[in-house]
Amino acid sequence: MNNSLRGTVRLLGAGLRAMLVLTLVCGVIYPLAVTGIAQTAFHDKANGSEVKADGRPAGSSLLGQTYTLDKKDKDGNPLPDPKYFQPRPSAAGPNTENTQYSLIVSGASNLAADSKVLLASVEQRRKDVAEFNGVSPAAVPPDALTASASGVDPDISPAYAKLQAERVAKANHLPKDKVADLVADHTEGRIAGFLGDPRVNVLELNIALQKLTKS
């Protein structure tokens, strides 16, 4: 075997050994180490911030979802269920008017602030929310009128939750003060006391509501 061939064989052998070592380190040891640390130190977040109801997964605290009836309106859109607190509107659907959450097309409508389509949708939402909750259109808070950037915002403002409390109490035959206390108990303050705004996680609030209706 001449020197050239020996050199080629050595290079191939070195390359093969390097590939096997890197595959073991990067493809097996590192992923297992990261997974182990995540499951040990950040178990909840590593598993998608899963929320359970009656011992079964009900969703994620990071992702919003709709609470609708089996019925649909004249345009074929699902109708909101009056027994549950409703999330913010969503642009993550077949069109910007849709309030049906869809993870497949998560995103904003990308409409400008002066868009006639956006302004029309806001006014329609104001009318629908006011009518659904039996309040004045002027009482409807901004987050009930505008969709989030993700289209699947899991939180609503305390003002929107309080606005819905009376309707939810009536639909579930519960005392108003108990539902109001439920909203207060699930209102989270600003992060670190100054970041963001106070918020209410709709999924967690509705799970607590279901427990209250069964008690």
Side-chain angles (χ1 to χ4, degrees), residues 11-46:
L11 287 174
L12 288 175
L16 180 61
R17 289 194 296 273
M19 183 188 72
L20 292 175
V21 170
L22 290 173
T23 299
L24 180 63
V25 173
C26 299
V28 179
I29 297 175
Y30 177 74
L32 287 177
V34 171
T35 301
I37 293 171
Q39 289 295 329
T40 302
F42 311 101
H43 180 77
D44 179 58
K45 291 182 174 60

Side-chain angles (χ1 to χ4, degrees), residues 114-184:
D114 61 350
S115 166
K116 292 182 179 180
V117 174
L118 176 61
L119 295 175
S121 67
V122 165
E123 290 308 314
Q124 184 61 51
R125 289 165 183 166
R126 189 191 307 277
K127 178 183 176 182
D128 292 342
V129 171
E131 184 178 341
F132 184 58
N133 290 282
V135 299
S136 166
V140 180
D143 65 307
L145 306 175
T146 56
S148 66
S150 68
V152 287
D153 192 342
D155 303 319
I156 57 176
S157 67
Y160 190 23
K162 291 175 183 176
L163 180 143
Q164 300 184 63
E166 186 171 345
R167 182 254 302 161
V168 169
K170 183 178 180 181
N172 287 286
H173 308 290
L174 293 170
K176 296 179 185 177
D177 58 340
K178 282 194 174 183
V179 177
D181 289 342
L182 203 65
V183 171

Side-chain angles (χ1 to χ4, degrees), residues 3 5 21 34 50 54-56 79 86 90 92 94 103 113 132 142 145 155 165 170 182 188 192 198 203 207 209:
N3 291 334
L5 184 57
V21 170
V34 171
E50 189 177 74
D54 298 324
R56 294 179 297 179
L79 293 170
Q86 296 296 323
S90 174
L103 298 180
F132 184 58
L145 306 175
D155 303 319
K170 183 178 180 181
L182 203 65
E188 300 177 50
L203 174 59
I207 289 175
L209 174 66

Side-chain angles (χ1 to χ4, degrees), residues 64-80:
Q65 54 184 275
T66 48
Y67 300 85
T68 57
L69 299 170
D70 292 332
K71 302 176 183 177
K72 294 185 177 181
D73 63 16
K74 58 182 177 61
D75 298 319
N77 296 315
L79 293 170

Side-chain angles (χ1 to χ4, degrees), residues 1-10:
M1 185 180 294
N2 58 44
N3 291 334
S4 177
L5 184 57
R6 287 197 189 95
T8 301
V9 171
R10 281 199 301 271

